[in-house]
Amino acid sequence: MSSDTTTTAMSALVAQGVVCTSYGGPEVIKVQQVNIPPPGVDEVRVRIGAAGINPSDTYVVLGPQGPYAGTKLVPPLPFTPGKDAAGVVEAVGAMSATGTPTLSVGDRVYICGSITGTQAEVALCKINQVYPLPDNITLQQGACIGVPCATAYKALVQRGAAKSGETVLVHGASGAVGLAAVQLAVSMGCKVVGTAGTPEGEEAVRQAGANAVVNHKQEGYLQAAKSILTPPGAANEEAGFDLCLEMMASANLANDLTVMKRHGRVAIIGSKAVPIAINPRATMPLELDIRGVFLGNSTPDEITEIHRQLYKAMECGYLKPVVGMELPLEEAAKAHVEVMTPSSGGAAGNIVIKLKGE
């Protein structure tokens, strides 16, 4: 790199990005110029090729009107939303005594969290928010790793304690987290049934490797799912699933408890923030566990394990993030709509804003 290029890379720059100057729905999402400072100590600046859109990004944009109201997850105005992206390292700041200089200018990386927000052409990140991207994963796929794949691994392994040979129900398997969970569970040797709400979603779940797929809009689908992997003549306590990964507990939790084996675990990945009624005694005869999953509460050691295992799974070809829709930066507001209410009638992969090709 020439001295002129180095000086430019280590200076502040102006880029295009999403900026929210007020909280609210998609109408507050505007694309305009953003100022990106040079990297400081233990920081890197990344030229973004693609940014992933997650439901949690819409919650951030809603601010005090959304489920993150009253928490530190609501940023001060103005801000650029987004945690996930993939791109190329453009500049690396000085490393402190505790910093680990694992990245160099020109490295392909994926991002899970940033200082300035990822829905922009450039993002400033802490060094521990940026991870190497395997050569067999595109930038668009890399934009789908941070929240969805990390959440899937945390739910499946760290909270769900899945083991080879166990039966797993991925309840809502066609979305970003669900498809990653199916792929990871299959790679671990689990027997997997996934649910989806559209033919396109069902096919995406099959392609992810599920042993079977049921449509969660059909009557009796949960009992049908339970019967698929239950050996003929099995006792009640041996019928059903060892683990359920639940994407909408507010609608499904009570029914999930009816399809679990003895000592089964239900890991709640998603839910509306509303109270529901379940009978606590439903957990008692089979000694069932209900476990919450929240990626933001992970310890540093858990985060390190998650991304180490995700890299291995991608490098070996077991994990291939699924891009369901690509939109340009100018249609960022549409991306935030699609991730919550898909125009296809149901999710089938990740929503990605494409900023630059490889």
Side-chain angles (χ1 to χ4, degrees):
M1 179 179 287
S2 69
S3 59
D4 288 345
T5 304
T6 303
T7 300
T8 301
M10 295 302 289
S11 302
L13 55 78
V14 176
Q16 290 291 108
V18 171
V19 176
C20 297
T21 57
S22 60
Y23 303 112
E27 71 281 355
V28 306
I29 296 172
K30 309 295 182 184
V31 176
Q32 62 187 57
Q33 289 186 334
V34 293
N35 294 310
I36 309 294
V41 175
D42 295 338
E43 295 176 356
V44 297
R45 195 165 65 195
V46 179
R47 177 68 58 173
I48 302 298
I53 309 297
N54 300 296
S56 58
D57 297 328
T58 70
Y59 304 155
V60 169
V61 173
L62 284 169
Q65 306 168 37
Y68 289 169
T71 73
K72 63 181 181 181
L73 298 174
V74 177
L77 297 169
F79 65 91
T80 295
K83 302 181 187 72
D84 292 355
V88 177
V89 175
E90 182 178 83
V92 179
M95 292 293 107
S96 68
T98 57
T100 304
T102 55
L103 298 172
S104 301
V105 172
D107 286 352
R108 297 171 73 251
V109 296
Y110 71 91
I111 298 170
C112 187
S114 77
I115 298 169
T116 59
T118 59
Q119 293 171 29
E121 294 173 329
V122 180
L124 182 67
C125 309
K126 298 176 182 178
I127 192 76
N128 62 2
Q129 295 173 322
V130 180
Y131 303 88
L133 187 67
D135 292 339
N136 60 334
I137 301 295
T138 67
L139 294 183
Q140 288 92 321
Q141 290 174 312
C144 310
I145 300 169
V147 170
C149 295
T151 298
Y153 183 89
K154 182 177 179 70
L156 184 68
V157 178
Q158 294 179 341
R159 297 294 294 139
K163 302 178 184 66
S164 179
E166 288 193 322
T167 53
V168 178
L169 172 66
V170 182
H171 202 170
S174 63
V177 177
L179 291 174
V182 170
Q183 293 181 48
L184 291 169
V186 169
S187 75
M188 293 174 57
C190 298
K191 299 174 183 178
V192 182
V193 177
T195 81
T198 66
E200 295 79 11
E202 291 180 57
E203 181 58 25
V205 178
R206 289 190 191 94
Q207 291 297 319
N211 297 86
V213 185
V214 296
N215 190 308
H216 54 225
K217 293 182 180 178
Q218 294 180 351
E219 188 74 24
Y221 74 92
L222 275 178
Q223 294 306 315
K226 179 180 179 179
S227 67
I228 290 171
L229 299 182
T230 299
N236 182 58
E237 65 180 23
E238 297 302 323
F241 296 95
D242 296 293
L243 175 62
C244 171
L245 303 185
E246 178 53 64
M247 307 298 167
M248 189 53 69
S250 51
N252 302 322
L253 181 58
N255 291 328
D256 289 338
L257 300 179
T258 69
V259 294
M260 305 304 295
K261 286 183 181 179
R262 183 170 185 259
H263 293 164
R265 296 91 65 197
V266 179
I268 298 176
I269 296 172
S271 179
K272 290 184 178 179
V274 295
I276 63 169
I278 65 167
N279 182 354
R281 289 196 65 87
T283 68
M284 294 168 61
L286 298 180
E287 298 181 316
L288 306 179
D289 289 356
I290 300 171
R291 305 178 181 182
V293 180
F294 189 66
L295 185 63
N297 280 340
S298 303
T299 66
D301 285 346
E302 287 172 335
I303 291 294
T304 297
E305 178 199 346
I306 288 170
H307 291 286
R308 182 174 61 246
Q309 295 301 328
L310 292 180
Y311 187 94
K312 289 181 180 178
M314 289 186 287
E315 191 175 40
C316 294
Y318 298 138
L319 176 61
K320 296 180 180 178
V322 178
V323 179
M325 178 181 289
E326 293 182 24
L327 293 167
L329 180 62
E330 293 72 24
E331 295 187 47
K334 180 179 178 181
H336 280 248
V337 173
E338 286 288 340
V339 77
M340 299 303 292
T341 53
S343 57
S344 64
N350 298 262
I351 309 297
V352 168
I353 292 176
K354 186 175 179 180
L355 292 118
K356 183 181 180 182
E358 296 195 76

